[in-house]
Amino acid sequence: MTATTPATVPRALSRRLRAVQVGAAAEGFMLWVPIEKLFQTEIGFDAATIGLMAAAYAAVVPLLEVPTGILADRWSRKGILILASLAAAASALLGGLSQSVPLYIVAAMVLGIYFALSSGTVDSVVYDTVVEETGSSDLYERWMGRVRIVESVSLAASAVLGGVVAELTSTRLTYFLTIPFALAAVVAYLRFDEPQLHRAEERTALRDHVSTTLHAMVAAPRVRTTILVLALTALLSQTVFEFGPLWLVDLQAPPGAYGPYWALLVGTLGVGGYLAGRLDLDRRALVAVLAVVLVGAAVLLSTVRQLIVVAAAQTVLALVLAMLGIHAGRLLHDAVSSRIRAGVSSGAGTFSWLLFLPFSLILGALARRDGVQTAGWLVVGAAAVLAVLLVIVAMRSPRTAPSPEPDPTDVVRADVTGPPPVDLVCQELVTVVSDYLDGVLPAEWRDRVDEHLSGCDGCSAYLGQLRAMLDRLAELELQQGRPPQSLM
């Protein structure tokens, strides 16, 4: 076995994840995004048909997210990323060819397929690659943050360039010029060395796989809470990007303010990704501060009518949400098996869309009737719920992977004379693992341990290490003529 030093691990990760970063950057180079509404008006869209297009797009994503996530788990996550890039290219092609509303709506629905394919897949391959190279998920936030940084830079650059191209040539050309970048992402993903953690476990029938994925999303309280955190984070982030400009319209901001404002919002994706990899978001004090900032920024949107304050509040809100999204993603991946990781992550995305649809309708209706500041209290309410959930999650142990050599002075042995907990955590498994291996653990506890092992890569690896060590010790003792001893 070749020894891997700490210095070589980041270099190995960098080599393997470079293709993902290049692919993400290429996919984010959508030149048509900044001029989409202008192009839509040129081909006959009005407010009603724009709403129809949004509804069609919003219906596609949640319908396909979980099925495509399960397909990624059972087939190939690299293959799903390639299909996503092809869908992005097809959407740009159809958009550029559109001369009327119906074909453009089809292009928007194909773009929804792209987002459904990508949802839960990129973060799953980053997480599994980090675990394969390092043996833990400690570096996940840092490397997922780097992916978000290149996405942010790509989005910002394409927004500026798309406006220039539309000004100098035509709005339609921005769609056609986007296609080569989407195809470049296909080439990048073809060169990606896909992690194989999700294929390490025994393959099950499709029906059982679907059942296991759905069960993982609803059965374990920690997973349910984390999915809700992810869904609310995505809901609030999408609200800022979709409805944030309404605050500028309400305050009669000059046209020149929209460019810097949008650049600030897009930039939060990269800065948030960088900070998520540098800050210890497992610290309760830091999480509490972020929760307060989250609610405080939302309150400013409903109480202040100064343009610079509103823009700053939205920027801070988007920045905190970008950090929390990456951190919550790691917590979710820590809590589930690699075999179902993309499916569960996609399920969180589906839930966020199901929440966003009614939320956006109510927010839009309130904004039209009472103004955006009144509607902003809905954002405050969602931010407050998210803040409470963040504190709850922070009060629990965020890591699922136990230390290979736990310090017995730091672990209190679980009381196996009573009923097992509904949601067995890793620390409790560590204290009963000897009884489990010796076959003396009560049946109820053994069932709970088996359930935990089925969804926890860290504990499964830990148990495998213990069994290998015991097998080796047994061989040595037999060679010395002594009977094998139990773990204890």
Side-chain angles (χ1 to χ4, degrees):
M1 181 178 296
T2 303
T4 303
T5 65
T8 63
V9 167
R11 286 197 294 270
L13 270 176
S14 179
R15 284 194 300 270
R16 289 191 69 181
L17 291 176
R18 188 175 297 123
V20 176
Q21 290 174 295
V22 172
E27 284 181 343
F29 220 82
M30 295 182 175
L31 298 170
W32 54 268
V33 169
I35 54 85
E36 181 187 22
K37 294 298 183 287
L38 177 60
F39 179 75
Q40 287 176 331
T41 59
E42 292 176 356
I43 63 173
F45 272 89
D46 56 21
T49 49
I50 288 177
L52 178 62
M53 180 204 69
Y57 163 81
V60 168
V61 181
L63 282 176
L64 293 181
E65 271 191 308
V66 173
T68 55
I70 292 174
L71 180 61
D73 287 328
R74 292 183 63 83
W75 173 47
S76 168
R77 291 170 186 168
K78 180 169 87 170
I80 290 295
L81 290 176
I82 291 171
L83 291 178
S85 298
L86 291 174
S91 174
L93 177 61
L94 290 172
L97 293 175
S98 297
Q99 300 287 344
S100 60
V101 170
L103 183 57
Y104 195 91
I105 290 179
V106 173
M109 295 176 71
V110 175
L111 186 67
I113 295 174
Y114 157 72
F115 282 113
L117 289 166
S118 299
S119 174
T121 308
V122 173
D123 49 297
S124 295
V125 297
V126 172
Y127 184 94
D128 279 4
T129 303
V130 170
V131 172
E132 275 194 2
E133 291 290 341
T134 68
S136 75
S137 62
D138 291 345
L139 296 179
Y140 168 76
E141 281 116 334
R142 177 172 299 183
W143 287 92
M144 193 65 217
R146 293 187 180 186
V147 173
R148 295 291 180 241
I149 289 172
V150 298
E151 285 179 339
S152 175
V153 172
S154 180
L155 286 168
S158 64
V160 174
L161 185 57
V164 172
V165 170
E167 178 72 22
L168 296 178
T169 59
S170 70
T171 55
R172 188 179 302 276
L173 184 60
T174 60
Y175 288 83
F176 294 127
L177 291 181
T178 297
I179 298 173
F181 292 98
L183 297 179
V186 173
V187 176
Y189 291 136
L190 283 170
R191 297 178 62 85
F192 176 52
D193 180 14
E194 181 180 6
Q196 301 298 314
L197 281 178
H198 63 296
R199 296 176 177 171
E201 301 178 34
E202 183 179 355
R203 189 174 180 86
T204 60
L206 176 60
R207 182 176 180 179
D208 293 336
H209 190 119
V210 173
S211 176
T212 301
T213 301
L214 297 177
H215 182 267
M217 288 189 286
V218 300
R222 284 186 304 150
V223 174
R224 289 201 306 267
T225 304
T226 306
I227 287 178
L228 186 55
V229 168
L230 269 173
L232 286 174
T233 301
L235 178 147
L236 284 170
S237 181
Q238 194 163 357
T239 298
V240 172
F241 282 92
E242 291 288 342
F243 292 93
L246 292 180
W247 268 262
L248 275 67
V249 173
D250 182 64
L251 295 173
Q252 299 181 340
Y258 284 82
Y261 158 79
W262 190 253
L264 280 174
L265 280 188
V266 173
T268 60
L269 300 176
V271 177
Y274 175 82
L275 292 176
R278 298 293 174 180
L279 300 177
D280 184 4
L281 296 177
D282 288 328
R283 293 176 53 197
R284 295 175 181 177
L286 178 58
V287 171
V289 170
L290 292 178
V292 172
V293 172
L294 186 71
V295 177
V299 169
L300 288 177
L301 296 180
S302 296
T303 56
V304 176
R305 292 191 56 82
Q306 295 179 8
L307 179 61
I308 190 169
V309 175
V310 168
Q314 290 188 19
T315 302
V316 170
L317 192 60
L319 178 63
V320 173
L321 292 168
M323 296 166 56
L324 294 176
I326 293 176
H327 176 63
R330 195 214 76 201
L331 296 181
L332 181 63
H333 293 320
D334 278 348
V336 300
S337 168
S338 178
R339 182 168 59 90
I340 58 173
R341 184 161 289 142
V344 173
S345 183
S346 297
T350 298
F351 188 41
S352 71
W353 276 101
L354 294 177
L355 290 178
F356 179 73
L357 285 176
F359 186 86
S360 62
L361 291 174
I362 296 173
L363 183 66
L366 281 176
R368 183 170 56 252
R369 189 187 69 182
D370 302 320
V372 292
Q373 279 199 307
T374 300
W377 286 108
L378 270 181
V379 179
V380 175
V385 173
L386 176 57
V388 171
L389 289 173
L390 288 171
V391 173
I392 292 174
V393 170
M395 296 300 292
R396 302 171 178 174
S397 175
R399 297 289 187 182
T400 61
S403 171
E405 296 181 2
D407 185 349
T409 63
D410 292 336
V411 180
V412 178
R413 179 176 173 81
D415 180 14
V416 298
T417 60
V422 174
D423 186 22
L424 185 76
V425 297
C426 298
Q427 290 84 349
E428 291 167 323
L429 182 140
V430 169
T431 67
V432 300
V433 69
S434 60
D435 289 350
Y436 178 82
L437 290 173
D438 287 341
V440 297
L441 195 63
E444 282 186 295
W445 276 87
R446 173 171 285 276
D447 291 342
R448 197 68 70 205
V449 170
D450 287 336
E451 180 181 342
H452 180 90
L453 290 172
S454 67
C456 180
D457 293 336
C459 286
S460 297
Y462 172 57
L463 187 65
Q465 292 171 357
L466 284 180
R467 280 177 169 153
M469 179 187 68
L470 290 175
D471 290 342
R472 181 56 181 160
L473 288 175
E475 291 176 5
L476 292 174
E477 289 173 343
L478 287 173
Q479 291 173 5
Q480 296 174 5
R482 292 184 298 173
Q485 302 295 316
S486 71
L487 180 63
M488 298 300 290

